[in-house]
């Protein structure tokens, strides 16, 4: 039997495209670079969104919504911001059958429009901190689009906050990085991430500091999974986000912004997927268990089993299709990465057992129907931890400790390199860039996030990236 997918070792980019298509996650839209997210793919995004939204709210932020169109003059107010995004901007010059007096930009991010309203809503120190988040779509005109990873239009959340002091803004940017982003990626997506500080070269346009979560894909490349930015007072000065302090002085606020997107779905595919398709961590999987009725004579029993598992807290689908061969159904669920399959036949039912197939290991075993709910819940928890452990071990095995920039470039042919930041600096970054290698982030030797890139003994994680 021919393999369903191109092998990862043969052509990783083609494997990725085939998984996205055959697992029914997404396909290209009618406009170049746009994406249609299919129901199964969107159900994964909904799970990510719900988990992220809960964490953001636990950090005190509230959801709001802001317009898709931004007056071009707003972006001109922050010169660094315009310079950073201008090649990617989509601009509307005509609407309603006539030329607009002022062109409108389709939002590439919302700092400018949200800054305008933050200025209106911030009058006194009592109004701070102002903690906002918005779930929306943004447009950045991508030259080399790839589904989920880089698309002209994508979905994301973007948070924007204003604070009375630099320290409060800095602490909040770090809190989001760890309590919302890192926690979700590690404990729900089962993706180990290196958290650190971006270099000045890689920093978000207009920010004074950018913090990032970086993950390694199965081909050794890095994917930036989320960023949190300290914007200092740059945007606050441009948009007049001022407040009256407790001492009666007019002060300028300190702001942050932070975001994660549908790119996380691409990371999920490339960290956990194998030659048989997608593999979803149980905590995230929209369907944790599929109960498969082998023949029509066990359909009623299969639905009862599904209901029992659902009542116990599992997310379950019962597959009782009789017009699709059993083997084809099994392959489809493997492609979609469902953690567990319970295959029920008449002999199984008579023997008081069911065949349990594990997506992670690929193995099958007979388990008793008595106590099956407890068995399934325990196994889902173990599979979640195993996926994280396996991904961390695979990543760590492909991080090479080196001493020089030249050695780092060579090591990045297989994965990442880790070396002293003192051996890189600006000159080293320029040399790395010549080989399409970038500094993904800077971290302390204990793995914590530095407060400055001038701290002694920092290490740089470098690699090729998506």
């Amino acid at each position: 039997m021919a393999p369903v997918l191109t092998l990862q070792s043969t052509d990783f980019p083609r494997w990725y495209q085939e998984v996205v298509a055959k697992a029914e996650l997404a396909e290209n839209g009618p406009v170049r670079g746009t994406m249609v997210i299919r129901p199964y793919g969107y159900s994964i995004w909904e799970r990510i969104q719900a988990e992220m939204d809960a964490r953001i709210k636990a950090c005190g932020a509230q959801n709001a919504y802001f317009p898709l169109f931004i007056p071009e003059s707003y972006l001109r107010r922050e010169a660094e911001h315009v310079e950073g995004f201008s090649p990617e901007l989509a601009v509307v010059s005509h609407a309603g059958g006539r030329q607009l007096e002022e062109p409108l930009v389709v939002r590439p991010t919302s700092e400018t429009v949200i800054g305008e309203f933050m200025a209106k809503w911030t009058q006194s120190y009592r109004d701070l901190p102002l903690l906002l988040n918005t779930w929306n779509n943004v447009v950045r005109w991508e030259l080399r689009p790839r589904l989920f990873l880089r698309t002209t239009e994508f979905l994301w959340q973007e948070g924007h906050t204003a604070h009375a002091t630099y320290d409060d803004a800095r602490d909040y940017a770090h809190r989001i990085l760890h309590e919302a982003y890192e926690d979700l990626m590690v404990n729900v997506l089962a993706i180990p991430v290196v958290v650190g500080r971006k270099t000045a070269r890689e920093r978000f346009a207009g920010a004074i500091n950018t913090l990032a979560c970086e993950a390694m894909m199965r081909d050794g490349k890095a994917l930036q999974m989320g960023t949190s930015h300290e914007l200092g007072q740059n945007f606050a000065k441009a948009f007049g986000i001022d407040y009256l302090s407790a001492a009666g002085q007019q002060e300028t606020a300190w702001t942050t912004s932070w975001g994660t997107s549908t790119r996380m779905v691409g990371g999920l595919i490339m960290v956990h997927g194998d030659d048989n398709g997608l593999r979803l961590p149980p905590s995230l999987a929209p369907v944790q268990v599929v109960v498969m009725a082998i023949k029509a004579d066990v359909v009623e029993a299969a639905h009862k089993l599904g209901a029992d598992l659902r009542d116990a807290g599992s997310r379950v689908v019962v597959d009782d299709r009789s017009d699709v061969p059993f083997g084809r159904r099994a392959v489809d669920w493997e492609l979609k990465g469902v953690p567990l399959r319970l295959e029920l036949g008449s002999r199984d039912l008579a023997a008081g057992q069911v065949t349990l197939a594990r997506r992670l290991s690929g193995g099958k075993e007979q388990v008793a129907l008595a106590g099956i709910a407890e068995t399934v819940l325990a196994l889902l928890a173990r599979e979640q931890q195993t996926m994280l452990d396996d991904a961390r071990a695979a990543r760590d095995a492909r991080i090479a400790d080196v001493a020089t920039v030249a050695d780092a470039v060579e090591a990045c042919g297989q994965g990442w390199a880790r070396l002293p930041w003192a051996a890189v600096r600006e000159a080293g970054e320029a040399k790395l860039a010549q080989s399409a290698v970038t500094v993904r982030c800077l971290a302390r030797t204990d793995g914590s996030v530095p407060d400055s890139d001038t701290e002694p003994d920092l290490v740089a994680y470098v690699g090729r990236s998506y």
Side-chain angles (χ1 to χ4, degrees):
M1 180 178 174
V4 176
L5 300 170
T6 297
L7 300 181
Q8 290 184 352
S9 58
T10 300
D11 188 337
F12 193 83
R14 185 175 177 184
W15 167 86
Y16 176 82
Q17 292 173 335
E18 290 179 358
V19 170
V20 171
K22 293 184 178 182
E24 299 180 336
L25 301 178
E27 52 190 79
N28 291 312
V31 175
R32 184 182 181 277
T34 61
M35 171 173 60
V36 173
I37 305 176
R38 299 187 65 175
Y40 189 64
Y42 200 81
S43 69
I44 295 171
W45 173 241
E46 284 181 311
R47 293 284 311 163
I48 293 174
Q49 187 180 37
E51 293 280 358
M52 180 68 80
D53 195 61
R55 285 164 174 77
I56 288 171
K57 286 173 178 170
C59 290
Q62 294 180 300
N63 285 339
Y65 187 79
F66 295 86
L68 173 69
F69 297 117
I70 301 173
E72 191 177 53
S73 59
Y74 280 27
L75 274 79
R76 285 199 211 101
R77 287 193 228 170
E78 224 304 325
E80 280 190 272
H81 188 79
V82 176
E83 182 181 343
F85 276 108
S86 57
E88 302 175 342
L89 294 179
V91 181
V92 178
S93 59
H94 289 73
R98 62 184 178 84
Q99 184 168 344
L100 299 177
E101 292 183 11
E102 178 182 358
L104 302 175
V105 172
V106 183
R107 63 176 168 231
T109 180
S110 302
E111 273 81 3
T112 55
V113 67
I114 293 179
E116 179 81 3
F117 286 88
M118 279 182 161
K120 290 177 64 175
W121 300 341
T122 304
Q123 303 298 323
S124 159
Y125 70 94
R126 296 183 183 89
D127 300 319
L128 299 175
L130 180 58
L131 311 176
L132 302 173
N133 179 64
T134 180
W135 292 93
N136 60 30
N137 61 339
V138 293
V139 170
R140 300 178 187 176
W141 214 255
E142 283 290 345
L143 299 178
R144 293 176 293 277
R146 188 177 297 183
L147 292 176
F148 289 116
L149 300 178
R150 287 190 179 276
T151 48
T152 295
E153 178 191 7
F154 57 89
L155 305 179
W156 77 343
Q157 59 75 212
E158 49 177 311
H160 300 269
T161 69
H163 304 261
T165 66
Y166 162 77
D167 287 347
D168 195 44
R170 177 201 60 204
D171 292 348
Y172 196 80
H174 281 255
R175 183 179 181 188
I176 287 293
L177 180 78
H178 294 296
E179 295 183 21
Y181 293 177
E182 183 183 10
D183 182 69
L184 173 92
M185 292 164 193
V186 173
N187 295 316
V188 179
L189 276 62
I191 296 178
V193 290
V194 173
V195 290
R197 181 186 182 100
K198 289 288 190 180
T199 65
R201 183 188 182 105
E202 297 293 323
R203 192 180 295 154
F204 176 72
I208 62 171
N209 181 28
T210 290
L211 308 168
C213 295
E214 298 282 341
M216 184 189 289
M217 306 297 103
R218 288 170 78 92
D219 64 350
K221 288 185 179 179
L223 185 70
Q224 182 176 284
M225 297 281 286
T227 50
S228 181
H229 313 286
E230 298 174 45
L231 302 179
Q233 294 179 310
N234 293 339
F235 284 88
K237 288 177 180 177
F239 288 89
I241 308 175
D242 302 323
Y243 68 96
L244 194 66
S245 72
Q249 301 293 319
Q250 200 71 16
E251 304 282 357
T252 300
W254 299 79
T255 65
T256 77
S257 70
W258 24 276
T260 54
S261 74
T262 39
R263 171 178 281 202
M264 286 188 289
V265 179
L268 191 75
I269 298 166
M270 293 195 292
V271 169
H272 296 307
D274 64 11
D275 287 335
N276 294 318
L278 188 61
R279 295 192 305 173
L280 292 177
S283 292
L284 177 70
V287 180
Q288 295 173 313
V289 185
V290 58
V291 178
M292 298 183 66
I294 295 177
K295 291 186 178 179
D297 57 352
V298 294
V299 165
E300 184 178 346
H303 279 282
K304 182 181 185 308
L305 175 56
D308 290 344
L309 292 170
R310 202 173 290 117
D311 290 344
S314 298
R315 295 186 289 276
V316 183
V317 164
V318 176
D319 183 348
D320 60 2
R321 292 174 292 171
S322 59
D323 57 342
V324 180
F326 178 80
R328 171 64 187 274
R329 289 191 281 154
V331 168
D332 284 348
W333 290 115
E334 281 219 335
L335 277 167
K336 291 178 182 292
V338 173
L340 300 179
R341 293 197 315 273
L342 295 178
E343 301 171 355
L344 186 64
S346 53
R347 291 182 184 175
D348 293 312
L349 193 58
Q353 63 186 23
V354 65
T355 301
L356 186 149
R358 298 166 59 179
R359 179 64 183 86
L360 185 57
S361 65
K364 290 188 177 184
E365 59 186 292
Q366 301 298 318
V367 296
L369 283 169
I372 188 65
E374 293 79 6
T375 300
V376 163
L377 290 175
L379 187 53
L380 289 172
R382 289 203 301 272
E383 300 283 78
Q384 178 78 24
Q385 186 61 48
T386 299
M387 290 188 76
L388 176 61
D389 293 343
D390 288 352
R392 182 176 286 119
R395 180 201 65 183
D396 292 350
R398 299 180 75 169
I399 299 177
D401 286 301
V402 300
T404 68
V405 168
D407 289 342
V409 170
E410 183 178 352
C412 288
Q414 302 297 321
W416 296 358
R418 180 171 48 207
L419 73 165
W421 171 231
V424 184
R425 300 294 180 185
E426 291 183 11
E429 277 196 276
K431 289 181 180 178
L432 289 169
Q434 293 172 7
S435 300
V437 174
T438 54
V439 177
R440 304 314 306 160
C441 64
L442 306 177
R444 295 180 179 134
T445 53
D446 64 359
S448 60
V449 179
D451 292 325
S452 166
D453 57 13
T454 61
E455 287 186 20
D457 303 324
L458 294 183
V459 295
Y461 286 86
V462 308
R464 293 185 172 86
S465 66
Y466 284 95

